[in-house]
Amino acid sequence: MGSTTEKQTPRGAGPGDLEAAFGRQLSLASRSVHADDHTNTHPAVAPPMHVSTTFRYPRNPDELVPWSEADPDAFEQTYIYSREKSPTVTRYETILTSVLGAPSIAYSSGLAAFHAMMVFLNPRRVAIAGGYHGCHGVLTILNKLNGLEKVDLEDPAALATLQPGDVIHVETPLNPTGEARDLAYYRRKADELGCWLTVDATFAPPPLMDPFALGADIVMHSGTKYFGGHSDMLSGVLAVHPAKAGLRTVPGRKGAGAGEEGKLTWVQQLREERLLLGNVMGNFEGWLGVRSLRTLELRVKRQSENAERLVAWLAGEKAKGEGVVAELVHKIQHSSLQPEAKEEGSWLRKQMPNGHGPVFALWLESEQVARRLPSKLRLFHHATSLGGVESLVEWRAMSDASVDRRLIRVSVGVEGWEDLKDDLLQGLVALKEELGR
Ligand SMILES: *Cc1c(COP(=O)(O)O)cnc(C)c1O
C-alpha cells in the first residue's frame, strides 16, 4: 500500500496552484472543471466514486491521534467514517467552494441544509415570507421544539421587532414566481438589527447571482436543482461568507490552530453538527454532483437565456391583446418583467448582472385552464421540481396548497427555445379547441 493512500493526503495542482500559475482567478467555467484537480490520486481522468463508509487508520501507531485530541485543521485531511465526511462528497464540496467563492458544505437535501442552518444559528425569530413552502415546514417543526417564531419579512413593523441573533431569511428569486427581492435592502436591515442574513439562492445559481457580494452571511442552495441539473440527485448546500466564517467558541473543544483553544470555524462547527444530525449526502449523489457541476455554467446560461426569451415572447403576445396567449394567459411573473429590470443601475441589475433565473410563473385565465394545459404539452414534462436539463411545468396546486390555483410554474431546460415556444403555443391552441372557444 502506498504511503499516499495511507496518509490520505493527496497532493497535486490545486486551484490555488493553478491560479498562481495563471496569475489570476480562473473563470467560473474553468473552476467548475478543475477546482478539484488537486484531489486526483489516480491517473483516471474521470473521478472515482468511493463507496466506503469507513477508512483505515494509519498503520504506524505513533501516528494515531484520537478524534477528541485532533487539531481540526489536520483532521480536515483525514477520513474516518462517512457520516463525518467521504471523499466523493468532499470533491463535490471542493468544487462548490470554488464556484460559490466561499467555504461550502453539502447535505442530503435542500431542506436538510435549511434545517442545519437554523440549528447552527439557533435564532429566536426568523423573518421570512412566501417562497418555498418546505422551509416554512421546517420552521414549524422548530417552533414545536423550541418556540422559534416566524416574523413577516415583508412587513417593516414586524421586521423591526427582530433582536440581535435573529435571522432574516430571503429567498431570491422567489419560488414559484421567479421574481427577485432586494438583498442590499435586507442587508441594511440585518445590520441595523444585529441579525444574520441568510439567502436561499436556489433559483439563481452562479453565474446569475452572488449573494455574498451583497453581504449574505450564509447562502443556501437546494443542489437538487441546478447543481444536480439532471433531475436525478438530492442535495443541499450551505456556503459561509469567507469573512464571517471565522472562529466561534465551542465549550469543551480543542480549537483550530495554536492558541485558539476551544474555537472552531463556522464550517468546522457545521461539519460537527452534520456528523451528529446525520444529514450527509450519499456517495453516488456526490459523484453525480461532481459530474453535473462540470457543465453548470453552460446549462444555467442556456436555461436563463431560454427563459428570458420565452417570457419576452409571452409578454409580447399578451400585450397584443389578441390571440391565444392573450386569451388564456392572465398574468406572467418573472424577474425580467419587474420594472427595475429595465432601469440602468437598479438594485435588480446589480443583483443579477448575468441574467435572470430560469423559472417563471404563468397565471392562467382559470383554474380549469391551469389544470389542463400541462397535458397538452409535448416537450415540457408535467412534474414538480426544477433546474434540470428537461423543461418542466407544474400546476402548482399539485404540491403547494399555499399558491393560487390558476398558477403554473415553468422550469426552463436546455432545449431549443423556439421548440419550447412552439410547444406552449400548440398546447394553448389545443386547449382552446377542447374548451370550445
Ligand atoms: C427545492 C427547494 C428547496 C428544498 O430542496 P430539496 O433539495 O428538495 O430538499 C428549498 N428552497 C427552494 C427555493 C427550492 O426550490
Side-chain angles (χ1 to χ4, degrees):
M1 221 168 298
S3 64
T4 309
T5 317
E6 284 292 290
K7 289 192 178 149
Q8 302 175 319
T9 49
R11 282 275 158 263
D17 300 344
L18 276 177
E19 289 178 354
F22 280 79
R24 60 176 169 79
Q25 193 187 45
L26 294 178
S27 64
L28 174 67
S30 300
R31 281 181 282 138
S32 59
V33 180
H34 291 290
D36 56 325
D37 279 359
H38 65 292
T39 65
N40 291 333
T41 52
H42 193 279
V45 168
M49 178 169 53
H50 289 284
V51 295
S52 195
T53 53
T54 189
F55 303 87
R56 277 183 288 275
Y57 293 128
R59 201 157 172 81
N60 177 354
D62 296 331
E63 285 180 17
L64 295 172
V65 182
W67 182 64
S68 60
E69 295 162 25
D71 177 330
D73 287 336
F75 183 60
E76 308 242 307
Q77 305 291 321
T78 63
Y79 291 95
I80 296 170
Y81 183 57
S82 65
R83 183 156 40 72
E84 196 270 328
K85 68 179 176 305
S86 53
T88 310
V89 175
T90 301
R91 197 183 262 262
Y92 175 62
E93 292 173 333
T94 300
I95 305 168
L96 286 169
T97 293
S98 176
V99 160
L100 296 173
S104 301
I105 174 164
Y107 294 88
S108 54
S109 70
L111 284 188
F114 179 76
H115 176 242
M117 178 165 78
M118 289 303 148
V119 168
F120 175 68
L121 293 173
N122 197 21
R124 298 284 103 217
R125 292 162 214 81
V126 176
I128 185 170
Y132 189 71
H133 55 103
C135 296
H136 292 264
V138 171
L139 296 178
T140 302
I141 294 174
L142 292 175
N143 171 270
K144 181 179 80 173
L145 291 172
N146 68 2
L148 175 101
E149 285 171 30
K150 280 202 296 186
V151 161
D152 185 355
L153 180 75
E154 286 171 350
D155 173 359
L159 208 56
T161 67
L162 294 179
Q163 305 282 320
D166 288 343
V167 166
I168 296 181
H169 180 72
V170 182
E171 183 177 311
T172 188
L174 263 177
N175 180 61
T177 64
E179 290 183 331
R181 281 170 164 162
D182 181 353
L183 285 177
Y185 167 78
Y186 288 110
R187 179 69 259 172
R188 287 195 297 279
K189 288 285 161 198
D191 286 340
E192 276 168 31
L193 298 159
C195 297
W196 303 114
L197 176 64
T198 64
V199 178
D200 183 340
T202 300
F203 274 44
L208 303 180
M209 180 172 79
D210 177 12
F212 291 120
L214 296 150
D217 294 309
I218 300 184
V219 174
M220 169 211 146
H221 282 268
S222 166
T224 309
K225 313 299 166 53
Y226 294 97
F227 296 160
H230 296 74
S231 312
D232 57 7
M233 61 175 267
L234 282 175
S235 159
V237 177
L238 295 182
V240 177
H241 190 296
K244 289 171 182 148
L247 301 171
R248 242 182 25 166
T249 304
V250 181
R253 279 293 284 121
K254 188 177 159 69
E260 293 290 357
E261 204 69 24
K263 291 185 174 177
L264 297 177
T265 65
W266 278 27
V267 169
Q268 286 165 341
Q269 289 171 69
L270 284 165
R271 198 172 286 134
E272 289 206 351
E273 292 188 355
R274 186 181 66 174
L275 167 67
L276 295 170
L277 293 170
N279 43 10
V280 282
M281 254 179 108
N283 296 307
F284 183 51
E285 282 72 16
W287 187 88
L288 286 172
V290 170
R291 150 157 297 202
S292 297
L293 285 174
R294 304 296 192 217
T295 55
L296 178 73
E297 201 221 27
L298 281 174
R299 287 184 284 107
V300 171
K301 264 188 160 166
R302 172 66 165 255
Q303 289 171 274
S304 166
E305 285 165 16
N306 278 355
E308 278 185 55
R309 288 184 166 139
L310 281 174
V311 167
W313 168 70
L314 285 161
E317 289 296 304
K318 177 89 192 126
K320 281 186 195 162
E322 55 176 7
V324 71
V325 174
E327 270 173 62
L328 296 185
V329 179
H330 169 63
K331 181 163 84 174
I332 308 152
Q333 282 180 297
H334 188 231
S335 57
S336 67
L337 298 179
Q338 285 176 257
E340 296 89 346
K342 306 206 166 48
E343 255 173 54
E344 200 67 51
S346 68
W347 65 264
L348 181 48
R349 289 275 197 99
K350 285 186 196 143
Q351 187 166 305
M352 304 191 72
N354 298 324
H356 297 273
V359 173
F360 63 91
L362 293 179
W363 293 56
L364 281 301
E365 170 235 49
S366 63
E367 175 179 340
Q368 192 198 24
V369 173
R371 174 197 276 268
R372 304 189 84 79
L373 178 62
S375 311
K376 298 284 177 236
L377 302 176
R378 300 195 171 114
L379 296 179
F380 291 87
H381 299 290
H382 188 199
T384 196
S385 199
L386 57 110
V389 291
E390 318 82 0
S391 291
L392 305 179
V393 288
E394 182 184 21
W395 178 40
R396 193 60 185 155
M398 287 296 289
S399 64
D400 186 350
S402 70
V403 305
D404 192 284
R405 292 172 76 91
R406 288 169 294 170
L407 190 142
I408 293 262
R409 186 178 74 181
V410 184
S411 167
V412 182
V414 299
E415 301 94 332
W417 88 272
E418 279 167 326
D419 300 329
L420 297 174
K421 180 190 82 171
D422 287 351
D423 195 27
L424 282 175
L425 191 56
Q426 70 75 27
L428 288 165
V429 168
L431 186 56
K432 188 180 151 178
E433 265 168 35
E434 185 178 285
L435 298 171
R437 305 278 183 81

